[in-house]
Amino acid sequence: MVRQAGEDASEQKVIDDIATYGWHCVHIGGDEEGPGYTFTIGACHSFGLPEFLIMGLPQATAQQIVDVALDAARSGAIADFTQTTGALLEGHPCAFVRVPEARYRDWVGYARWYYQGNDFTLYQIVWPSRDGHFPWDAGASAAYVASQPLLGPAPRQD
């Protein structure tokens, strides 16, 4: 079930963007407690795709990456979210972490409002450090790891 009408202008903007574009982008600014992050609402409803969340990047950069991720998933360029992909950042592979529903309330409450619960899939897009590490790699710096805490289990390393 999805929302048909919002109670205020910001809620109505979400509904209108999803009706017009198929999705809406939310950015939450960072603070001393954690990094900022950006997530989508509507991709599951409009395209049958997961919603995406990305942390630790400026709003414009994060929004561009989730836009590219949605385009890549819609075109089939990304179909397996258990694998890294070069489709999001030129020359740098990104990974996906499935976010457990138990974490939705803390991170994507607005998506929960829209879907009236947890009936959607959410993947965190994880970008590599400048030296090519992911947060789960032994060589990843503490500052880099803090910039994008993992919301779910790290992908299996084969």
Side-chain angles (χ1 to χ4, degrees):
M1 179 121 111
V2 296
R3 297 284 174 171
Q4 300 301 313
E7 293 182 13
D8 63 31
S10 63
E11 290 176 354
Q12 195 59 50
K13 171 82 168 129
V14 171
I15 292 165
D16 292 346
D17 281 356
I18 293 168
T20 302
Y21 308 109
W23 65 288
H24 177 81
C25 194
V26 175
H27 181 77
I28 306 296
D31 57 25
E32 61 278 346
E33 294 182 22
Y37 63 100
T38 298
F39 63 94
T40 63
I41 303 173
C44 181
H45 167 75
S46 299
F47 313 122
L49 295 172
E51 303 296 342
F52 294 113
L53 177 147
I54 190 166
M55 291 188 162
L57 295 172
Q59 181 176 355
T61 303
Q63 185 166 344
Q64 183 177 17
I65 292 170
V66 297
D67 188 30
V68 169
L70 285 172
D71 286 348
R74 288 176 68 191
S75 73
I78 300 173
D80 184 352
F81 297 101
T82 65
Q83 301 295 313
T84 60
T85 180
L88 306 183
L89 289 173
E90 190 172 327
H92 302 283
C94 290
F96 298 96
V97 169
R98 175 88 182 253
V99 179
E101 286 183 17
R103 307 290 311 265
Y104 287 12
R105 183 178 301 277
D106 293 334
W107 294 92
V108 293
Y110 223 176
R112 293 183 73 249
W113 164 82
Y114 178 76
Y115 288 111
Q116 298 181 22
N118 292 338
D119 193 21
F120 59 96
T121 300
L122 176 66
Y123 278 97
Q124 179 180 359
I125 299 169
V126 182
W127 44 273
S129 65
R130 292 182 194 273
D131 56 0
H133 292 292
F134 285 110
W136 50 84
D137 293 339
S141 74
Y144 163 70
V145 171
S147 71
Q148 59 175 339
L150 297 181
L151 301 183
R156 290 190 3 215
Q157 306 299 299
D158 295 329

